[in-house]
Amino acid sequence: MPKPTFFRLAETKRKRLIKAAYDEFSRASFQDASISNIIKEAGIPRGSFYQYFEDKSDIFFYLLDRTRSSTEELYMQAMTRHDGDLFGMMADFFDTSVEKLLKGPHREFYENVFLFMDFHNAAHFSSMPKKAPDPHPKKVFLDYTLEHIDRSKLRVKSDEDVAMLFRQVMWIFMQSIGYYYTRRRNGENVTTTALKARMAKMLNWLQYGVVISEEEVHD
C-alpha cells in the first residue's frame, strides 16, 4: 500500500500518478509493465516514485484495492436495495459490476487482471509479499452476506451452507467475466447484453433448478 508521503501529494499529482499506473497496467501484463513508463507519464523522477511506493507490485496492489473498495460498495448497496434477498441482490450486483468492469474507464486494466491473473505475479515479485492484499475480496463479501442475508427465503440456513451457496453464486460471476474476456481476446463479438443474459440464465438455474417437475412433463 502507498507510503504516507503519497497521501500528502497534491490531489492533481496523486491523480496523475494513479492514471499513469492504470494506463501502464492496461497496456501490458504485470510482468511486462514498467515503472519507467509510469514515471514518464506521471512526470515524476524515479526517486520520487519510491517515496510513494515500495515497488511495482505495491502500486499494482493499490489499484486492485481501489477495485475491491468500489465493488464492496456496489455489493452492499445491492443487498440493501433487495432487503437481503440473495438472488435478487446478486442479479443486481452482476449487472452493475459488469457495467463497471467491462464498460468503465479502467476496463483494459480489469481485462489484464482477469486474463493474466497478474495478482499472482505481483505477489511473487513483491518486496513485501506478506502485506499484499487478497485480490479476491470474497471473505468481506461472505461475512457481509452471512450477516445481512434473509435466510427465510432459502432452504439453506446454517452459515456453512450459506457460504457454500455464496461460493457457487460468485463462481458464476467470475467464470462469466473470464468467459467474456477470453472470447473477446479470441476475436469473438460477445456483447455485454449477451453476457448479462448468460449470467442471469445460470443464476436462474441455481435458484430454481434445471429438472422439470412431473406435472410439467405431462403438460
Side-chain angles (χ1 to χ4, degrees), residues 18-185:
I18 292 171
K19 180 183 182 302
Y22 270 123
D23 288 348
E24 180 62 7
F25 291 120
S26 298
R27 181 196 67 80
S29 66
F30 171 82
Q31 192 161 355
D32 294 332
S34 165
I35 291 178
S36 296
N37 290 338
I38 294 174
I39 63 176
K40 181 179 180 180
E41 182 178 339
I44 62 173
R46 179 174 288 268
S48 294
F49 176 87
Y50 290 106
Q51 291 178 10
Y52 310 137
F53 294 93
E54 289 290 336
D55 50 27
K56 183 172 69 172
S57 61
D58 201 18
I59 193 168
F60 179 79
F61 275 118
Y62 174 62
L63 300 185
L64 284 181
D65 195 58
R66 287 166 58 92
T67 301
R68 176 194 58 77
S69 298
S70 61
T71 51
E72 279 179 17
E73 184 176 356
L74 291 176
Y75 190 87
M76 293 173 185
Q77 289 172 349
M79 182 73 81
T80 300
R81 281 194 296 271
H82 293 272
D83 297 321
D85 175 5
L86 177 65
F87 285 94
M89 179 275 295
M90 280 296 187
D92 188 346
F93 174 67
F94 284 179
D95 277 357
T96 54
S97 296
V98 162
E99 290 296 321
K100 177 182 177 60
L101 290 171
L102 308 185
K103 300 175 72 174
H106 305 308
R107 55 189 177 275
E108 290 88 359
F109 170 73
Y110 301 137
E111 180 174 359
N112 274 352
V113 170
F114 270 87
L115 286 178
F116 299 113
M117 294 299 173
D118 275 358
F119 42 81
H120 294 310
N121 286 328
H124 176 73
F125 287 104
S126 175
S127 61
M128 295 190 297
K130 291 183 180 180
K131 73 179 179 59
D134 183 356
H136 294 304
K138 291 180 181 177
K139 187 177 187 307
V140 175
F141 289 167
L142 175 56
D143 289 347
Y144 189 83
T145 301
L146 292 174
E147 183 178 351
H148 293 88
I149 195 172
D150 181 0
R151 303 187 193 204
S152 69
K153 298 181 179 180
L154 301 172
R155 292 190 306 189
V156 295
K157 304 297 182 184
S158 70
D159 282 0
E160 182 180 358
D161 286 349
V162 171
M164 192 183 307
L165 176 60
F166 168 84
R167 293 187 185 98
Q168 291 294 313
V169 174
M170 290 304 292
W171 179 86
I172 291 174
F173 177 72
M174 299 298 290
Q175 189 275 342
S176 297
I177 297 298
Y179 164 88
Y180 174 87
Y181 284 134
T182 301
R183 294 302 188 276
R184 296 277 289 188
R185 183 59 61 96

